[in-house]
Tab-separated table of all heavy atoms in Angstrom:
chain	number	residue	atom	x	y	z
A	938	TYR	N	2.272	7.470	8.828
A	938	TYR	CA	1.741	8.073	10.051
A	938	TYR	C	2.409	7.371	11.233
A	938	TYR	O	2.347	6.155	11.344
A	938	TYR	CB	0.227	7.879	10.105
A	938	TYR	CG	-0.471	8.589	11.232
A	938	TYR	CD1	-1.258	9.711	10.999
A	938	TYR	CD2	-0.345	8.138	12.545
A	938	TYR	CE1	-1.905	10.361	12.038
A	938	TYR	CE2	-0.981	8.788	13.583
A	938	TYR	CZ	-1.766	9.896	13.322
A	938	TYR	OH	-2.404	10.551	14.356
A	940	TYR	N	2.710	6.750	15.245
A	940	TYR	CA	1.968	6.847	16.505
A	940	TYR	C	2.885	7.019	17.704
A	940	TYR	O	2.594	7.798	18.620
A	940	TYR	CB	1.131	5.581	16.720
A	940	TYR	CG	0.145	5.313	15.626
A	940	TYR	CD1	0.512	4.534	14.522
A	940	TYR	CD2	-1.141	5.832	15.674
A	940	TYR	CE1	-0.398	4.282	13.507
A	940	TYR	CE2	-2.050	5.585	14.654
A	940	TYR	CZ	-1.666	4.813	13.570
A	940	TYR	OH	-2.558	4.574	12.559
A	954	LEU	N	-6.708	-4.820	15.132
A	954	LEU	CA	-6.455	-3.400	15.395
A	954	LEU	C	-6.320	-2.606	14.102
A	954	LEU	O	-5.567	-2.974	13.209
A	954	LEU	CB	-5.170	-3.262	16.226
A	954	LEU	CG	-4.763	-1.844	16.636
A	954	LEU	CD1	-5.816	-1.220	17.546
A	954	LEU	CD2	-3.400	-1.863	17.325
A	955	LYS	N	-7.070	-1.519	14.018
A	955	LYS	CA	-6.986	-0.610	12.883
A	955	LYS	C	-6.468	0.740	13.366
A	955	LYS	O	-6.806	1.192	14.466
A	955	LYS	CB	-8.358	-0.420	12.224
A	955	LYS	CG	-8.973	-1.709	11.677
A	955	LYS	CD	-8.210	-2.213	10.464
A	955	LYS	CE	-8.913	-3.424	9.855
A	955	LYS	NZ	-8.177	-3.973	8.702
A	956	GLY	N	-5.684	1.387	12.514
A	956	GLY	CA	-5.168	2.696	12.864
A	956	GLY	C	-5.891	3.799	12.127
A	956	GLY	O	-7.031	3.637	11.669
A	957	VAL	N	-5.242	4.929	12.006
A	957	VAL	CA	-5.799	6.076	11.291
A	957	VAL	C	-6.032	5.686	9.830
A	957	VAL	O	-5.239	4.959	9.229
A	957	VAL	CB	-4.836	7.278	11.402
A	957	VAL	CG1	-5.282	8.429	10.520
A	957	VAL	CG2	-4.728	7.724	12.865
A	958	ALA	N	-7.143	6.153	9.280
A	958	ALA	CA	-7.546	5.852	7.907
A	958	ALA	C	-7.795	4.359	7.682
A	958	ALA	O	-7.785	3.881	6.549
A	958	ALA	CB	-6.526	6.384	6.897
A	959	GLY	N	-8.001	3.603	8.785
A	959	GLY	CA	-8.353	2.198	8.689
A	959	GLY	C	-7.215	1.251	8.398
A	959	GLY	O	-7.439	0.048	8.219
A	960	ASP	N	-5.982	1.736	8.361
A	960	ASP	CA	-4.848	0.870	8.036
A	960	ASP	C	-4.251	0.269	9.308
A	960	ASP	O	-3.992	0.989	10.271
A	960	ASP	CB	-3.777	1.684	7.297
A	960	ASP	CG	-2.675	0.807	6.724
A	960	ASP	OD1	-3.012	-0.132	5.984
A	960	ASP	OD2	-1.498	1.066	7.012
A	961	PRO	N	-4.008	-1.047	9.339
A	961	PRO	CA	-3.420	-1.652	10.536
A	961	PRO	C	-2.014	-1.120	10.794
A	961	PRO	O	-1.230	-0.930	9.856
A	961	PRO	CB	-3.377	-3.148	10.188
A	961	PRO	CG	-4.350	-3.324	9.074
A	961	PRO	CD	-4.322	-2.036	8.306
A	962	PRO	N	-1.671	-0.879	12.056
A	962	PRO	CA	-0.314	-0.418	12.366
A	962	PRO	C	0.700	-1.540	12.164
A	962	PRO	O	0.383	-2.720	12.280
A	962	PRO	CB	-0.401	-0.015	13.839
A	962	PRO	CG	-1.533	-0.822	14.379
A	962	PRO	CD	-2.507	-0.969	13.256
A	973	VAL	N	6.013	2.754	15.475
A	973	VAL	CA	4.729	2.132	15.137
A	973	VAL	C	4.056	3.043	14.122
A	973	VAL	O	3.743	4.204	14.422
A	973	VAL	CB	3.862	1.935	16.383
A	973	VAL	CG1	2.558	1.233	16.029
A	973	VAL	CG2	4.634	1.142	17.439
A	975	SER	N	1.568	3.476	10.257
A	975	SER	CA	0.623	2.938	9.284
A	975	SER	C	0.627	3.851	8.071
A	975	SER	O	1.197	4.957	8.101
A	975	SER	CB	-0.786	2.797	9.872
A	975	SER	OG	-1.308	4.049	10.253
A	977	VAL	N	-1.156	6.263	5.362
A	977	VAL	CA	-2.307	7.165	5.252
A	977	VAL	C	-2.258	7.831	3.881
A	977	VAL	O	-1.187	8.039	3.312
A	977	VAL	CB	-2.306	8.230	6.370
A	977	VAL	CG1	-2.588	7.605	7.727
A	977	VAL	CG2	-0.990	9.003	6.408
A	982	PHE	N	-3.385	13.687	4.142
A	982	PHE	CA	-2.349	13.944	5.138
A	982	PHE	C	-1.137	14.695	4.610
A	982	PHE	O	-0.197	14.939	5.367
A	982	PHE	CB	-1.913	12.626	5.786
A	982	PHE	CG	-2.937	12.091	6.747
A	982	PHE	CD1	-3.969	11.275	6.304
A	982	PHE	CD2	-2.891	12.425	8.085
A	982	PHE	CE1	-4.926	10.790	7.175
A	982	PHE	CE2	-3.843	11.942	8.974
A	982	PHE	CZ	-4.866	11.125	8.523
A	995	ASP	N	-15.110	17.049	13.364
A	995	ASP	CA	-15.516	15.652	13.205
A	995	ASP	C	-14.348	14.800	12.705
A	995	ASP	O	-14.103	13.698	13.214
A	995	ASP	CB	-16.699	15.541	12.230
A	995	ASP	CG	-17.992	16.106	12.814
A	995	ASP	OD1	-18.089	16.196	14.057
A	995	ASP	OD2	-18.881	16.464	12.037
A	996	TRP	N	-13.628	15.294	11.704
A	996	TRP	CA	-12.479	14.562	11.172
A	996	TRP	C	-11.397	14.423	12.240
A	996	TRP	O	-10.807	13.358	12.426
A	996	TRP	CB	-11.920	15.283	9.949
A	996	TRP	CG	-10.806	14.557	9.254
A	996	TRP	CD1	-10.898	13.695	8.203
A	996	TRP	CD2	-9.396	14.643	9.560
A	996	TRP	NE1	-9.669	13.230	7.844
A	996	TRP	CE2	-8.715	13.789	8.655
A	996	TRP	CE3	-8.656	15.354	10.491
A	996	TRP	CZ2	-7.333	13.635	8.664
A	996	TRP	CZ3	-7.279	15.192	10.506
A	996	TRP	CH2	-6.629	14.348	9.608
A	997	LEU	N	-11.174	15.502	12.950
A	997	LEU	CA	-10.135	15.503	13.980
A	997	LEU	C	-10.462	14.525	15.101
A	997	LEU	O	-9.603	13.773	15.580
A	997	LEU	CB	-9.985	16.924	14.537
A	997	LEU	CG	-8.789	17.227	15.421
A	997	LEU	CD1	-7.487	16.973	14.697
A	997	LEU	CD2	-8.852	18.662	15.926
A	998	THR	N	-11.734	14.489	15.499
A	998	THR	CA	-12.152	13.575	16.558
A	998	THR	C	-11.999	12.123	16.123
A	998	THR	O	-11.507	11.278	16.884
A	998	THR	CB	-13.612	13.857	16.950
A	998	THR	OG1	-13.722	15.206	17.417
A	998	THR	CG2	-14.075	12.904	18.049
A	999	GLU	N	-12.395	11.809	14.898
A	999	GLU	CA	-12.259	10.446	14.388
A	999	GLU	C	-10.794	10.032	14.297
A	999	GLU	O	-10.423	8.911	14.666
A	999	GLU	CB	-12.913	10.344	13.005
A	999	GLU	CG	-12.842	8.961	12.390
A	999	GLU	CD	-13.481	8.893	11.013
A	999	GLU	OE1	-14.103	9.892	10.595
A	999	GLU	OE2	-13.356	7.846	10.349
A	1000	THR	N	-9.953	10.942	13.830
A	1000	THR	CA	-8.524	10.646	13.720
A	1000	THR	C	-7.906	10.464	15.102
A	1000	THR	O	-7.115	9.535	15.329
A	1000	THR	CB	-7.811	11.772	12.962
A	1000	THR	OG1	-8.390	11.898	11.650
A	1000	THR	CG2	-6.322	11.495	12.818
A	1001	ALA	N	-8.263	11.328	16.042
A	1001	ALA	CA	-7.726	11.214	17.402
A	1001	ALA	C	-8.160	9.909	18.057
A	1001	ALA	O	-7.380	9.281	18.788
A	1001	ALA	CB	-8.187	12.403	18.245
A	1002	ARG	N	-9.390	9.472	17.783
A	1002	ARG	CA	-9.870	8.216	18.365
A	1002	ARG	C	-9.079	7.027	17.821
A	1002	ARG	O	-8.667	6.140	18.577
A	1002	ARG	CB	-11.360	8.052	18.074
A	1002	ARG	CG	-11.978	6.827	18.752
A	1002	ARG	CD	-13.469	6.741	18.493
A	1002	ARG	NE	-14.172	7.866	19.097
A	1002	ARG	CZ	-14.829	8.788	18.407
A	1002	ARG	NH1	-14.875	8.738	17.089
A	1002	ARG	NH2	-15.447	9.769	19.029
A	1003	ALA	N	-8.847	7.016	16.498
A	1003	ALA	CA	-8.069	5.920	15.899
A	1003	ALA	C	-6.624	5.943	16.405
A	1003	ALA	O	-6.030	4.894	16.683
A	1003	ALA	CB	-8.103	6.036	14.376
A	1004	HIS	N	-6.050	7.135	16.513
A	1004	HIS	CA	-4.695	7.293	17.051
A	1004	HIS	C	-4.630	6.703	18.461
A	1004	HIS	O	-3.722	5.926	18.791
A	1004	HIS	CB	-4.338	8.785	17.047
A	1004	HIS	CG	-3.005	9.102	17.615
A	1004	HIS	ND1	-1.906	9.423	16.849
A	1004	HIS	CD2	-2.569	9.177	18.908
A	1004	HIS	CE1	-0.860	9.670	17.629
A	1004	HIS	NE2	-1.250	9.532	18.883
A	1005	GLN	N	-5.622	7.052	19.277
A	1005	GLN	CA	-5.590	6.609	20.672
A	1005	GLN	C	-5.793	5.103	20.799
A	1005	GLN	O	-5.242	4.472	21.715
A	1005	GLN	CB	-6.652	7.355	21.480
A	1005	GLN	CG	-6.571	7.079	22.966
A	1005	GLN	CD	-5.208	7.444	23.541
A	1005	GLN	OE1	-4.616	8.437	23.138
A	1005	GLN	NE2	-4.708	6.635	24.468
A	1006	GLN	N	-6.561	4.508	19.910
A	1006	GLN	CA	-6.733	3.057	19.951
A	1006	GLN	C	-5.395	2.338	19.798
A	1006	GLN	O	-5.141	1.338	20.470
A	1006	GLN	CB	-7.701	2.623	18.849
A	1006	GLN	CG	-9.157	2.959	19.137
A	1006	GLN	CD	-10.075	2.614	17.976
A	1006	GLN	OE1	-9.609	2.304	16.873
A	1006	GLN	NE2	-11.373	2.674	18.209
A	1007	VAL	N	-4.559	2.851	18.914
A	1007	VAL	CA	-3.243	2.240	18.723
A	1007	VAL	C	-2.369	2.460	19.954
A	1007	VAL	O	-1.689	1.535	20.428
A	1007	VAL	CB	-2.561	2.801	17.459
A	1007	VAL	CG1	-1.141	2.249	17.320
A	1007	VAL	CG2	-3.385	2.462	16.220
A	1008	ILE	N	-2.385	3.678	20.509
A	1008	ILE	CA	-1.591	3.954	21.707
A	1008	ILE	C	-2.049	3.072	22.871
A	1008	ILE	O	-1.228	2.517	23.623
A	1008	ILE	CB	-1.684	5.437	22.099
A	1008	ILE	CG1	-1.122	6.343	20.979
A	1008	ILE	CG2	-0.938	5.697	23.405
A	1008	ILE	CD1	0.337	6.130	20.675
A	1009	ASP	N	-3.353	2.908	23.031
A	1009	ASP	CA	-3.867	2.052	24.109
A	1009	ASP	C	-3.404	0.610	23.930
A	1009	ASP	O	-3.041	-0.066	24.913
A	1009	ASP	CB	-5.397	2.101	24.138
A	1009	ASP	CG	-5.935	3.419	24.674
A	1009	ASP	OD1	-5.150	4.179	25.276
A	1009	ASP	OD2	-7.133	3.694	24.483
A	1010	ALA	N	-3.438	0.111	22.682
A	1010	ALA	CA	-2.995	-1.254	22.423
A	1010	ALA	C	-1.516	-1.421	22.745
A	1010	ALA	O	-1.091	-2.440	23.303
A	1010	ALA	CB	-3.269	-1.631	20.966
A	1011	LEU	N	-0.708	-0.413	22.416
A	1011	LEU	CA	0.713	-0.463	22.736
A	1011	LEU	C	0.941	-0.426	24.244
A	1011	LEU	O	1.804	-1.138	24.779
A	1011	LEU	CB	1.435	0.717	22.080
A	1011	LEU	CG	1.666	0.633	20.580
A	1011	LEU	CD1	2.129	1.985	20.043
A	1011	LEU	CD2	2.697	-0.441	20.260
A	1022	LEU	N	-0.500	13.898	17.670
A	1022	LEU	CA	-1.441	13.585	16.605
A	1022	LEU	C	-0.960	14.144	15.272
A	1022	LEU	O	-0.479	15.270	15.205
A	1022	LEU	CB	-2.803	14.183	16.942
A	1022	LEU	CG	-3.985	13.794	16.064
A	1022	LEU	CD1	-4.360	12.339	16.305
A	1022	LEU	CD2	-5.171	14.694	16.356
A	1023	ALA	N	-1.083	13.313	14.219
A	1023	ALA	CA	-0.748	13.715	12.852
A	1023	ALA	C	0.741	13.979	12.655
A	1023	ALA	O	1.142	14.969	12.041
A	1023	ALA	CB	-1.565	14.928	12.417
A	1176	TYR	N	1.757	10.531	28.336
A	1176	TYR	CA	1.728	11.744	27.516
A	1176	TYR	C	2.330	12.958	28.230
A	1176	TYR	O	3.025	13.775	27.630
A	1176	TYR	CB	0.285	12.083	27.148
A	1176	TYR	CG	-0.341	11.217	26.102
A	1176	TYR	CD1	-1.122	10.127	26.452
A	1176	TYR	CD2	-0.176	11.499	24.750
A	1176	TYR	CE1	-1.716	9.331	25.494
A	1176	TYR	CE2	-0.767	10.707	23.782
A	1176	TYR	CZ	-1.537	9.629	24.156
A	1176	TYR	OH	-2.124	8.839	23.213
A	1191	SER	N	-6.173	11.566	27.139
A	1191	SER	CA	-5.816	11.110	25.809
A	1191	SER	C	-6.889	11.271	24.783
A	1191	SER	O	-6.645	11.196	23.606
A	1191	SER	CB	-5.408	9.662	25.850
A	1191	SER	OG	-6.447	8.944	26.455
A	1192	SER	N	-8.076	11.489	25.117
A	1192	SER	CA	-9.137	11.654	24.133
A	1192	SER	C	-9.218	13.074	23.621
A	1192	SER	O	-10.047	13.399	22.799
A	1192	SER	CB	-10.478	11.284	24.750
A	1192	SER	OG	-10.745	12.085	25.876
A	1193	SER	N	-8.348	13.931	24.130
A	1193	SER	CA	-8.361	15.309	23.670
A	1193	SER	C	-8.020	15.412	22.203
A	1193	SER	O	-7.186	14.712	21.676
A	1193	SER	CB	-7.353	16.133	24.483
A	1193	SER	OG	-7.161	17.389	23.920
Side-chain angles (χ1 to χ4, degrees):
Y938 187 107
Y940 301 90
L954 182 63
K955 299 290 185 182
V957 172
D960 190 54
V973 182
S975 62
V977 291
F982 286 87
D995 290 338
W996 185 93
L997 192 59
T998 300
E999 181 181 353
T1000 301
R1002 185 177 295 116
H1004 178 104
Q1005 187 58 38
Q1006 286 175 349
V1007 175
I1008 298 298
D1009 287 345
L1011 285 169
L1022 189 70
Y1176 285 95
S1191 54
S1192 59
S1193 169

